[in-house]
């Protein structure tokens, strides 16, 4: 299993540009998450999904969009990049069933700089 | 006040010392997570617990639901334990994280 994969690893954007951060998992997990981590700060939840076709906002959703057309993929879209979106972005997945939620598995992260 | 508070924020110790990192939270939770973030940035989940105590190798995690408090202990610490340790609490569907404790173990 590859686990949780993210692309790209690094990206520099100009203000106003758009991009999509890709995330995929091959563990058949139903839950997927997008977090951002600003320097010296904790992880903040941007969006999450409890299954294909279902997404919901986290703590800091403004400026982002997500979709979940398949169980495996959970892309994060930045429509109009702003310097405040400079951060490291982590995707994670977990399985939640009748016995509760399993541990989260994290991708390697995408370091995004907006200039 | 943050929902999750960790202490200390930074901790430096000598190899072999017993380490304790604390996590206090203010909301009702269904589970608490301890994560390790390596100097290179990768994040690994260490423990998920909702009661009692869990042990994995030299790492021990405990939780006291009544006191809304969890501790992560490292026995016989080693320089490779140097990392940021992050506590997260699960309420409803979401996880809320503390700011992390930066641990440095000197040889």
């Amino acid at each position: 299993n590859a686990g949780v994969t993210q692309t790209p690893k690094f990206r520099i954007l100009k203000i106003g540009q758009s991009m999509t951060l890709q995330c995929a998992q091959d563990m058949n997990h139903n839950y997927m998450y997008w977090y951002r981590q600003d320097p010296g700060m904790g992880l903040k939840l941007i969006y999450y999904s409890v299954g294909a076709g279902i997404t919901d906002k986290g703590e800091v959703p403004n400026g982002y969009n997500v979709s979940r057309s398949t169980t495996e993929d959970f892309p994060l879209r930045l429509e109009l990049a702003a310097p405040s979106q400079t951060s490291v972005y982590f995707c994670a997945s977990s399985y939640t069933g009748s016995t509760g939620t399993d541990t989260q598995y994290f991708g390697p992260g995408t370091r995004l700089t907006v200039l | 006040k943050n929902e999750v508070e960790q202490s200390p924020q930074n901790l430096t110790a000598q190899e072999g010392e017993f380490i304790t990192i604390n996590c206090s939270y203010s909301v009702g939770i269904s589970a608490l997570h301890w994560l390790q973030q390596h100097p290179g940035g990768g994040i690994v989940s260490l423990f998920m617990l909702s009661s009692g105590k869990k042990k994995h190798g030299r790492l021990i995690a405990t939780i006291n639901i009544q006191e809304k408090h969890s501790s992560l202990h490292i026995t016989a610490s080693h320089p490779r334990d140097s990392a940021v340790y992050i506590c997260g609490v699960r309420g409803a569907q979401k996880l809320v994280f503390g700011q992390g404790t930066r641990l440095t173990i000197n040889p």
Side-chain angles (χ1 to χ4, degrees), chain A residues 58-102:
Chain A
E59 291 179 78
V60 290
N62 291 344
Y64 307 94
N65 278 300
V66 293
S67 59
R68 184 101 182 267
S69 55
T70 67
T71 300
E72 295 78 18
D73 300 298
F74 191 40
L76 178 73
R77 177 94 180 147
L78 283 71
E79 288 296 345
L80 290 169
S84 61
Q85 293 177 304
T86 294
S87 191
V88 180
Y89 291 83
F90 289 97
C91 179
S93 71
S94 66
Y95 179 76
T96 296
S98 57
T99 56
T101 300
D102 201 355

Side-chain angles (χ1 to χ4, degrees), chain B residues 46-65:
Chain B
L46 297 175
F47 294 103
M48 185 181 71
L49 64 166
S50 53
S51 64
K53 176 177 164 178
K54 286 191 175 180
K55 184 175 188 290
H56 182 69
R58 296 180 295 107
L59 273 61
I60 303 165
T62 64
I63 187 169
N64 185 317
I65 298 294

Side-chain angles (χ1 to χ4, degrees), chain A residues 21-81:
Chain A
L21 281 66
Q22 301 291 346
C23 174
Q25 53 91 10
D26 61 358
M27 297 173 282
N28 202 31
H29 286 169
N30 49 356
Y31 277 52
M32 295 187 75
Y33 311 82
W34 273 107
Y35 299 98
R36 60 177 286 173
Q37 186 180 41
D38 298 332
M41 304 293 285
L43 293 161
K44 299 284 187 187
L45 182 65
I46 305 171
Y47 270 96
Y48 69 99
S49 167
V50 302
I54 307 169
T55 62
D56 207 350
K57 295 177 181 178
E59 291 179 78
V60 290
N62 291 344
Y64 307 94
N65 278 300
V66 293
S67 59
R68 184 101 182 267
S69 55
T70 67
T71 300
E72 295 78 18
D73 300 298
F74 191 40
L76 178 73
R77 177 94 180 147
L78 283 71
E79 288 296 345
L80 290 169

